[in-house]
């Protein structure tokens, strides 16, 4: 995935923001005792959280509804900002930046009262008259660091979970998608309670300073390399983290499938947002025979979708910045270009491109592409494809296409990934009922729907006993004896179902 910030020396840092006294752009309070420019801001939000302000369901609902008004009232501004940043087509922007956010919001508002309730649990015989339950507590002050590729959705989806769980939050949008960053920083704070929520605009040095503060939870979306930096910073305060990272998502295409349907679904998933999608199919694995059928089908679909010259299509986006353009363009030298390959540095345009004769050692197979390039590698069998997938870091998602359900299930059962999608691409992320997250190199933790609420919630185990019935408690007090132990065991132990005890 993209890098919201990189280690010093690899990207220009922005200027240190000044305190504007509110929750908007550059909202920072310096703390003379700590020397950290963000210490005052974090302290102020922590004081608001400790006051209990964010805990009532009415407050949480009010802030969530305010996010809904932001999406409605600033819809056109969002479409324009994302178009300026990366040429995002209005259809794609409205679907991913608006609709998916509203789905998360409505799912949360529809269920929040139920999610917040104490969850009563099973009890042992000795505690039947007591109350055992799980209390859903907020963590406190959380930090959400946002990437540039879906700059509204990947900000609001976790923020919805953080608000729903009763937290205060600092959000840091990516400085790479500068038009969307400006919109979020200048407008979003006017919809939210400034005592409890703040937007911080920051480059490398400022983000490093921000991470020095103690947060109660950090939610980061970006690359594995920066994820390690985030985790290191969090470790200093023993702060729990969710890391939504990327990876090379394999797409296995079996010999038994509808080639034209596969081509449509893969082309859509790979070239959506000009390929700048963490869950895009990163490379195809198929037999030589399937490759010969698939390549002309991919070519036809690319023309059907984007016309004979995709550069002129209103439905195909652009690379977000010059640095990313140069990185992706360099990957075109791997293998052999069989479709596309045209570029225009001034426009940051890279045509929808398919590569053949790609080797595992080629540069395009060493990093997440994050651009409109689709390598096709050949394998002798499904078993070889699975072995190849399992020989690499575990991806964010595995895709498998086949008309035979047994083949799809074999790929599912014999691989490991953050998520899985059979016979389509991207669509699994649209369901609020499914958890979204990585595993291993592709991430840590999950969110979407109730999983977002749970991510930002501390599940606090609670037991509330009565003050009476002390005679029952006497059995566990010294002096000990075997008779007491026998009674305590009989009253407390959990028995395996289906087993009988011989007396």
């Amino acid at each position: 995935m993209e890098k919201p910030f990189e280690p010093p020396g690899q990207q220009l840092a922005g200027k240190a923001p000044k305190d504007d006294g509110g929750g908007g752009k550059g909202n920072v309070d310096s703390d003379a005792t700590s020397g950290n420019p963000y210490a005052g801001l974090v302290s102020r939000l922590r004081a608001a959280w400790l006051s209990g302000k964010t805990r009532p369901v009415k407050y949480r609902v009010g802030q969530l509804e305010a996010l809904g008004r932001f999406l409605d009232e600033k819809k056109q501004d969002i479409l324009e900002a994302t178009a300026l940043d990366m040429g995002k087509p209005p259809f794609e922007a409205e679907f991913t930046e608006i609709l998916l956010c509203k789905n998360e919001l409505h799912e949360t508002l529809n269920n929040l009262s139920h999610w917040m309730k104490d969850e009563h649990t099973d009890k042992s015989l000795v505690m039947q008259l007591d109350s055992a339950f799980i209390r859903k507590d907020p963590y406190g002050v959380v930090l959400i660091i946002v990437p540039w590729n879906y700059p509204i959705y990947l900000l609001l989806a976790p923020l919805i979970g953080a608000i729903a769980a009763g937290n205060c939050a600092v959000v840091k949008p990516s400085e790479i998608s500068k038009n969307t960053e400006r919109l979020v920083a200048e407008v979003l704070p006017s919809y939210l309670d400034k005592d409890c929520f703040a937007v911080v605009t920051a480059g490398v040095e400022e983000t490093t300073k921000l991470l020095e503060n103690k947060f109660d939870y950090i939610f980061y979306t970006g690359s594995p390399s920066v994820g390690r930096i985030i985790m290191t910073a969090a470790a200093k305060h023993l702060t729990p983290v969710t890391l939504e990272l990327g990876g090379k998502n394999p797409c296995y295409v079996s010999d038994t499938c509808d080639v034209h349907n596969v081509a449509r679904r893969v082309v859509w998933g790979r070239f959506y947002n000009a390929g700048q999608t963490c869950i895009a199919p990163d490379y195809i694995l198929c037999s030589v025979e399937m490759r010969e059928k698939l390549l002309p089908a991919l070519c036809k679909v690319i023309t059907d979708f984007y016309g004979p010259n995709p550069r002129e299509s209103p439905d195909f986006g652009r690379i977000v910045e010059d640095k990313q353009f140069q990185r992706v363009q360099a990957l075109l030298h791997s293998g052999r270009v069989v479709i596309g390959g045209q570029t225009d540095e001034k426009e940051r345009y890279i045509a929808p491109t398919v590569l053949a004769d790609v080797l595992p050692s080629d540069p395009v197979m060493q990093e997440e592409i994050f651009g409109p390039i689709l390598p096709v590698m050949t394998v002798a069998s499904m078993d070889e494809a699975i072995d190849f997938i399992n020989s690499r870091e575990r991806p964010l998602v595995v895709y498998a296409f086949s008309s035979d359900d047994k083949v799809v299930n074999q790929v599912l059962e014999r691989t490991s990934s953050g998520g899985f999608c059979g016979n389509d691409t991207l669509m699994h992320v649209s369901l609020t009922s499914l958890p979204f997250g990585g595993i291993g190199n592709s991430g840590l933790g999950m969110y979407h729907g109730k999983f977002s609420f749970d991510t930002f919630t501390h599940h606090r185990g609670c037991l509330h006993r009565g003050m009476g019935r002390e005679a029952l408690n006497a059995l566990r007090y010294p002096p000990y004896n075997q008779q007491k132990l026998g009674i305590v065991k009989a009253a407390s132990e959990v028995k395996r179902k289906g087993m009988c005890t011989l007396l």
Side-chain angles (χ1 to χ4, degrees):
M1 297 185 78
E2 69 93 8
K3 301 178 181 179
F5 78 100
E6 299 176 30
Q10 297 186 28
Q11 178 182 316
L12 292 176
K15 293 182 179 179
K18 297 179 180 178
D19 183 14
D20 64 4
K25 184 176 181 180
N27 174 34
V28 174
D29 285 330
S30 224
D31 188 318
T33 58
S34 73
N36 188 290
Y38 299 96
L41 170 63
V42 176
S43 295
R44 201 166 73 229
L45 265 60
R46 187 171 304 284
W49 178 72
L50 288 171
S51 75
K53 187 177 185 180
T54 62
R55 288 180 176 263
V57 64
K58 185 177 179 181
Y59 177 88
R60 304 184 197 190
V61 167
Q63 296 299 298
L64 291 170
E65 289 176 340
L67 291 182
R69 290 194 297 275
F70 167 74
L71 288 170
D72 289 336
E73 295 170 8
K74 300 303 174 183
K75 172 182 170 181
Q76 193 57 40
D77 293 336
I78 291 170
L79 299 184
E80 290 174 3
T82 53
L84 286 170
D85 284 330
M86 61 191 82
K88 189 170 289 200
F91 181 100
E92 293 184 2
E94 186 157 349
F95 179 60
T96 49
E97 310 286 15
I98 306 292
L99 177 62
L100 292 187
C101 285
K102 284 193 169 184
N103 286 351
E104 291 286 336
L105 192 60
H106 295 160
E107 173 76 5
T108 301
L109 286 168
N110 289 342
N111 295 283
L112 182 56
S113 295
H114 173 68
W115 293 346
M116 287 175 61
K117 289 180 179 177
D118 289 346
E119 184 180 331
H120 291 274
T121 63
D122 293 338
K123 294 171 287 187
S124 64
L125 178 62
V126 76
M127 296 183 186
Q128 285 302 304
L129 299 177
D130 302 317
S131 178
F133 58 95
I134 300 170
R135 172 62 52 87
K136 314 295 178 60
D137 274 353
Y139 273 102
V141 180
V142 305
L143 171 64
I144 300 171
I145 301 178
V146 186
W148 50 260
N149 56 327
Y150 294 93
I152 299 297
Y153 174 59
L154 294 179
L155 184 154
L156 291 189
L159 180 58
I160 287 166
I163 293 174
N167 299 282
C168 292
V170 175
V171 294
K172 194 211 85 70
S174 173
E175 69 275 24
I176 293 175
S177 50
K178 57 182 181 297
N179 292 285
T180 315
E181 179 199 41
R182 185 182 305 115
L183 171 66
V184 168
E186 292 178 355
V187 177
L188 184 60
S190 65
Y191 285 85
L192 295 173
D193 181 352
K194 292 181 176 64
D195 290 337
C196 300
F197 306 100
V199 177
V200 167
T201 56
V204 179
E205 292 177 9
E206 293 82 16
T207 304
T208 302
K209 286 289 186 183
L210 182 62
L211 284 165
E212 291 174 0
N213 293 275
K214 175 175 170 53
F215 290 95
D216 301 299
Y217 203 97
I218 298 176
F219 190 105
Y220 166 77
T221 304
S223 68
S225 60
V226 179
R228 292 181 178 92
I229 296 172
I230 301 293
M231 206 165 185
T232 300
K236 294 177 181 177
H237 299 290
L238 297 178
T239 299
V241 298
T242 287
L243 302 176
E244 293 295 342
L245 312 177
K248 297 190 70 62
N249 306 313
C251 178
Y252 173 64
V253 180
S254 80
D255 288 341
T256 57
C257 63
D258 185 319
V259 176
H260 298 291
N261 284 350
V262 171
R264 279 189 285 267
R265 297 175 193 187
V266 170
V267 165
W268 179 72
R270 173 67 272 185
F271 302 118
Y272 193 93
N273 200 32
Q276 298 164 115
T277 304
C278 62
I279 55 169
D282 206 81
Y283 61 95
I284 287 176
L285 295 170
C286 65
S287 67
V288 173
E289 293 78 14
M290 174 50 65
R291 183 189 65 183
E292 298 312 304
K293 298 175 186 176
L294 190 58
L295 288 178
L298 292 171
C299 185
K300 180 180 184 305
V301 169
I302 289 172
T303 302
D304 290 345
F305 283 7
Y306 306 114
N309 184 4
R311 181 177 174 180
E312 299 175 355
S313 171
D315 300 320
F316 186 73
R318 297 295 185 266
I319 304 301
V320 69
E321 62 164 1
D322 293 341
K323 182 180 176 182
Q324 290 293 328
F325 172 86
Q326 292 156 8
R327 182 190 62 80
V328 177
Q329 184 182 44
L331 299 178
L332 292 171
H333 300 299
S334 297
R336 173 172 57 94
V337 174
V338 291
I339 301 170
Q342 300 83 5
T343 66
D344 185 323
E345 187 169 4
K346 184 178 180 181
E347 282 191 25
R348 300 195 304 275
Y349 167 76
I350 297 178
T353 299
V354 178
L355 303 176
D357 302 333
V358 173
L359 300 174
S361 58
D362 285 337
V364 78
M365 292 302 295
Q366 302 309 306
E367 62 178 271
E368 184 180 5
I369 295 169
F370 227 66
I373 301 174
L374 180 63
V376 178
M377 290 184 56
T378 58
V379 289
S381 64
M382 178 190 69
D383 289 339
E384 185 178 321
I386 290 172
D387 288 343
F388 182 81
I389 294 168
N390 289 338
S391 71
R392 301 168 76 85
E393 295 281 8
R394 288 187 279 185
L396 191 54
V397 56
V398 166
Y399 295 107
F401 285 86
S402 180
S403 299
D404 185 346
D405 289 344
K406 292 181 180 177
V407 171
V408 175
N409 288 331
Q410 278 283 299
V411 178
L412 170 60
E413 290 173 7
R414 294 170 58 190
T415 60
S416 176
S417 60
F420 178 87
C421 186
N423 292 331
D424 208 343
T425 61
L426 309 191
M427 290 305 293
H428 63 294
V429 80
S430 68
L431 291 176
T432 58
S433 57
L434 288 178
F436 177 80
I439 182 172
N441 201 63
S442 60
L444 172 68
M446 65 186 75
Y447 72 124
H448 287 186
K450 186 176 185 294
F451 301 99
S452 296
F453 175 85
D454 288 340
T455 285
F456 288 101
T457 296
H458 169 56
H459 291 68
R460 188 179 184 186
C462 302
L463 176 65
H464 186 182
R465 308 202 71 192
M467 280 297 293
R469 304 184 296 276
E470 188 64 7
L472 296 175
N473 294 329
L475 293 168
R476 71 173 197 254
Y477 299 151
Y480 302 130
N481 59 51
Q482 283 301 116
Q483 183 182 19
K484 282 185 175 182
L485 179 59
I487 297 172
V488 169
K489 285 176 63 177
S492 304
E493 69 179 342
V494 176
K495 294 183 174 65
R496 184 175 175 183
K497 291 183 179 179
M499 294 185 67
C500 62
T501 302
L502 297 176
L503 300 177

